[in-house]
Amino acid sequence: MAMAEIIKSKLEAALAPQVLDIDDQSERHRGHAGYREGGESHFHLTIVSDAFAGKSRIDRQRLVHRALAEELKEKIHALSMSVKAPGE
Amino acid sequence: MSNPLFERIERDITADDVVLFMKGSPVFPQCGFSATVVDLLGKADVSFQSYDVLQDPELREGIKAFSEWPTVPQLYVKGEFVGGCDIIREMAESGELATLFQEKGVKTAA
């Protein structure tokens, strides 16, 4: 399964997001440390989920980190994200 | 805490008001996210101590375990974890970063 598909299924299971956009930005990092041929190493996520309501920025990102813990160990080199609760 | 590396990190984050664990140095950042945080701290007019995790593989893994945060850069203010690049950027844009420095009594150069 492609990394974006894995990310999608894990985040859907963990956060039931209303909005989930997964942007593979790996090509922008060609030549940089952490770039791998074939990409799938640098991702930007945009997530809107009820799970984030009332939570601090750190706690929100920790929810995402926890859902993707296995992938973050080695496969994902860089992960940035915009995480919001509905209505923010 | 009997982990010597964690003890060292604990000392590092309390020795200076503002501490950034990053890839590369403030002059030569080796990663776009680290460069962004260096830039935002510069705009906030605060001086900070940086540690280059690329020069220190033990620290690179240690800081992730210490903060329970899987990515670098990581910013600490007065010994407290504030966040990584996304969080610092959002806080800078909303004005919360300046407020945090003010509330924590961090001196700005301005």
Side-chain angles (χ1 to χ4, degrees), chain A residues 61-69 72 79 81, chain B residues 68-71:
Chain A
Q61 294 212 7
R62 281 201 208 281
L63 285 176
V64 177
H65 293 157
R66 204 169 302 146
L68 302 177
L72 279 164
L79 184 70
M81 64 185 95
Chain B
E68 296 178 333
W69 195 259
T71 52

Side-chain angles (χ1 to χ4, degrees), chain B:
Chain B
M1 249 192 297
S2 58
N3 180 330
L5 182 59
F6 279 15
E7 284 170 16
R8 175 191 147 195
I9 292 171
E10 189 74 47
R11 273 197 306 276
D12 289 345
I13 60 172
T14 47
D16 297 278
D17 280 359
V18 183
V19 177
L20 179 64
F21 296 90
M22 63 178 291
K23 293 180 179 173
S25 69
V27 180
F28 294 108
Q30 299 293 315
C31 148
F33 301 119
S34 289
T36 298
V37 176
V38 167
D39 187 48
L40 292 169
L41 291 175
K43 286 186 176 133
D45 277 324
V46 296
S47 60
F48 59 95
Q49 177 66 49
S50 70
Y51 294 93
D52 181 359
V53 303
L54 297 180
Q55 300 293 328
D56 191 339
E58 203 184 45
L59 179 64
R60 184 176 184 169
E61 291 314 309
I63 191 62
K64 292 178 187 175
F66 180 87
S67 309
E68 296 178 333
W69 195 259
T71 52
V72 173
Q74 297 186 12
L75 183 72
Y76 278 82
V77 176
K78 295 266 183 175
E80 203 173 294
F81 180 56
V82 179
C85 181
D86 296 321
I87 290 178
I88 304 307
R89 185 163 43 204
E90 287 173 16
M91 289 179 74
E93 282 167 5
S94 69
E96 286 162 89
L97 189 64
T99 307
L100 174 78
F101 288 141
Q102 210 168 17
E103 283 175 357
K104 296 271 187 183
V106 175
K107 279 190 222 103
T108 58

Side-chain angles (χ1 to χ4, degrees), chain A residues 52-88:
Chain A
F52 299 137
K55 294 205 165 61
S56 71
R57 288 193 171 89
I58 288 178
D59 287 343
R60 290 174 180 202
Q61 294 212 7
R62 281 201 208 281
L63 285 176
V64 177
H65 293 157
R66 204 169 302 146
L68 302 177
E70 206 181 309
E71 288 68 32
L72 279 164
K73 270 185 216 156
E74 282 180 14
K75 293 179 184 134
I76 300 176
H77 170 75
L79 184 70
S80 65
M81 64 185 95
S82 166
V83 286
K84 296 195 185 321
E88 288 182 349

Side-chain angles (χ1 to χ4, degrees), chain A residues 2 5 7 9 17 19 21-22 28 34 39 47 50 52 54 57 60 65 67 72 74 79:
Chain A
E5 288 299 310
I7 293 173
S9 77
V19 175
D21 180 66
I22 301 167
R28 281 197 222 167
I47 310 170
D50 285 321
F52 299 137
R57 288 193 171 89
R60 290 174 180 202
H65 293 157
L72 279 164
E74 282 180 14
L79 184 70

